[in-house]
Every structure is written in structure tokens, then in C-alpha cells.
Amino acid sequence: MGCVFNINHYTTYVDFPAMNPRLLIKARPSERTGEDLDIIYSRLKDIKVFEKFHPMLLQQICYYGYYEDLEKGVTLFRQGDIGTNWYTVLSGSLEVQISESGDLAESVTLCTLGPGTSFGESVLTNRPRHATIITRDNTELIRVEQKDFKILWEVY
């Protein structure tokens, strides 16, 4: 069993001999065993997106993170929403759209986020999101919930 990751224009095949880390990281953190965390970590540490992460931070992301596999056109959150999650992009891309009126029909694409990008730091302040984020194509993310991201932020 294996998985192909396309990250920063590099295609990496990762072999998952025992269990698929995607399935493990979908499980609630409290349901993951030490062995599950080791499998997730051993696979994520070899992915280019996570090369610059401190090993302890990556271990915590393995514990707190959830894998998201989204289709094109999915709205993660809208401008004005209160932040509940932080994200890092594994593959795919997302549009960052803003609107002065808040109407999505009048929005302008500010930029595109791609592999290796993280976003959603507004979870630290409980302030409304400044933009709407929509997947441009099939996109894989790691999502960390607000309460857990705050813990990681304080420690790392």
C-alpha cells in the first residue's frame, strides 16, 4: 500500500507497509496509539512540506492534526468567519479571495496558496477571517483545531 504526494512540483511515492497514515490522521487524536503516531511521523517527516519543521513540532502535528482531502471548489471558510482551524497545504492549491462588501460575487482573488503554505493563524486572536479560502483543485491539507494550535503556538 502506498501514496503519491505531489508537493512543490516533486512527486514522492511513500510506501505504507502497515497502515495508511491518512487513515490514522483522520482518527481522533485520543484514538491514536503510540505506534500510529510513529507511522504518521515517519511518513510526514520525509515530505518536503515538513522539512523545516522542528521534529518536536512535527510530532505534535502528528498527534493533533487531521488529514483533509478536498475536491475543487470547497470553501474552507468565508471572510468574516471566526477562525476555528489552522491549515498547512500538502498538495493542490487554494484561492484567497477578499471583498469590500463581504459578497463573494464581488470578491477579488488576492493570491493563491500552494504546497508548503500554512494559513489560519487568526485562530490565536478569535478575530474574523480577513478572506475567503476556496480550493482551486483537489487539495490535501493537514488541519489543526484552534484549541490544539494554541497549545502548539505557546510551546513552539
Side-chain angles (χ1 to χ4, degrees):
M1 180 183 294
C3 178
V4 175
F5 290 95
N6 183 8
I7 300 186
N8 289 342
H9 306 290
Y10 296 99
T11 301
T12 305
Y13 179 81
V14 181
D15 185 26
F16 304 141
M19 297 197 88
N20 187 336
R22 290 178 178 189
L23 297 177
L24 296 176
I25 207 162
K26 283 184 178 182
R28 302 253 352 131
S30 61
E31 296 170 358
R32 296 181 195 148
T33 66
E35 182 180 351
D36 293 344
L37 295 173
D38 289 343
I39 292 169
I40 295 167
Y41 180 82
S42 69
R43 302 312 184 242
L44 292 184
K45 73 178 177 60
D46 293 331
I47 297 173
K48 193 161 186 67
V49 170
F50 296 109
E51 276 182 354
K52 296 180 182 177
F53 281 51
H54 187 279
M56 293 298 293
L57 176 57
L58 184 53
Q59 286 177 343
Q60 293 302 306
I61 289 172
C62 292
Y63 180 78
Y64 291 116
Y66 292 89
Y67 173 80
E68 300 281 340
D69 187 8
L70 305 173
E71 295 180 1
K72 177 182 178 177
V74 173
T75 301
L76 265 73
F77 51 81
R78 298 186 186 286
Q79 183 176 336
D81 289 351
I82 301 300
T84 58
N85 296 290
W86 171 87
Y87 302 87
T88 191
V89 183
L90 297 175
S91 70
S93 61
L94 304 105
E95 289 186 353
V96 178
Q97 299 181 352
I98 59 169
S99 169
E100 287 188 30
S101 68
D103 182 2
L104 190 58
E106 298 174 9
S107 67
V108 175
T109 298
L110 183 63
C111 65
T112 301
L113 305 175
T117 309
S118 58
F119 60 97
E121 293 81 5
S122 70
V123 299
L124 294 171
T125 62
N126 289 324
R127 292 193 178 167
R129 303 279 192 179
H130 296 289
T132 297
I133 306 291
I134 302 172
T135 57
R136 285 177 40 130
D137 47 27
N138 289 348
T139 302
E140 294 176 298
L141 306 166
I142 298 290
R143 175 179 57 85
V144 178
E145 295 176 346
Q146 180 182 34
K147 64 182 176 35
D148 300 323
F149 184 75
K150 285 183 175 184
I151 292 168
L152 297 177
W153 185 262
E154 290 174 9
V155 174
Y156 301 97

